[in-house]
Amino acid sequence: MLEEELKRMKEENKKLATMLTTLCENYNSLRTHLIELQQKHSTHEEDNNSKLLSRKRKAEDVCCVNNSDINFEEASPKRPREIITTSISTVSVKTTLSDQTSLVKDGYNWRKYGQKVTRDNPSPRAYYKCSFAPTCPVKKKVQRSVKDPSVLVATYEGEHNHPHPSQAETTVPLVNQGVITNPTFFNKFMEDINTSSLQKDLVAKMVPSLSKNPSFAATVATAISGIFSRI
DNA sequence: CGATTTTGACCGGCGC
DNA sequence: GCGCCGGTCAAAATCG
């Protein structure tokens, strides 16, 4: 029975890896498309573009991932000049309602230095500083969304002045094990999956149960956010 | 015992 | 000047 269970778990793990790979591929194609559009747009109307971004930053309902390369420059004339170069990006992460920890795992080490209850949102806002490097100026704020309390909104301020921590310290199990990042291992792995006779049955059995499982959705969301932060 | 979290105090900007 | 509010500090508590 244990062997059967182990076998089943291995197959599930393979399927999850496939799903993550597909998601990564979709993300990369979308990202490439976005960059192309941005370059095309910026060559024509640079001024209008910056105005649009400025307005976009003020939008309250952030419902998608703004990658770290989409930086909104501080346009306020009252800010000191050195802060003008500060980049701000927001990332929304879906979690389960039962998970009350306001923690967005992204591979970096963060030290909490404050928490406040703000006027426009009943849930407390947590303040973090990057603790991976002593001189790293990056801060982030994490707060649950007003509209959907199961969504954590993380606001990143500044840019890391140090390399990303090693993958062993990230929180994405599949990546930790080198399944995704090791090309040799990964190719053999995909070959194994493609020749598996169990594949169709497994997909048929797993998709309905996994899609109903909130913890699975949360795990995938966390994994994807971890991958995004490294791209 | 060092690192991290908690939490009330404090600070500065802003509107009135 | 005063009060409100978001952000930060720092001492105490907690964790590993």
Side-chain angles (χ1 to χ4, degrees), chain A residues 130-155:
Chain A
C130 180
S131 64
F132 183 76
T135 58
C136 183
V138 179
K139 297 172 188 175
K140 79 169 176 180
K141 294 176 278 192
V142 178
Q143 189 171 32
R144 292 192 176 275
S145 169
V146 184
K147 294 176 181 177
D148 186 354
S150 66
V151 173
L152 282 176
V153 180
T155 305

Side-chain angles (χ1 to χ4, degrees), chain A residues 198-212:
Chain A
L198 292 171
Q199 189 176 1
K200 286 183 181 177
D201 287 340
L202 278 167
V203 171
K205 286 176 185 174
M206 288 172 61
V207 167
S209 59
L210 286 175
S211 61
K212 289 175 189 171

Side-chain angles (χ1 to χ4, degrees), chain A residues 143-202:
Chain A
Q143 189 171 32
R144 292 192 176 275
S145 169
V146 184
K147 294 176 181 177
D148 186 354
S150 66
V151 173
L152 282 176
V153 180
T155 305
Y156 293 84
E157 197 173 316
E159 292 175 9
H160 294 278
N161 59 7
H162 57 84
H164 194 280
S166 68
Q167 290 178 354
E169 294 181 33
T170 64
T171 57
V172 185
L174 281 173
V175 176
N176 286 351
Q177 295 157 21
V179 170
I180 299 240
T181 54
N182 182 330
T184 309
F185 189 102
F186 185 67
N187 288 337
K188 182 179 187 312
F189 180 60
M190 290 305 294
E191 196 178 325
D192 289 346
I193 289 176
N194 290 333
T195 56
S196 171
S197 60
L198 292 171
Q199 189 176 1
K200 286 183 181 177
D201 287 340
L202 278 167

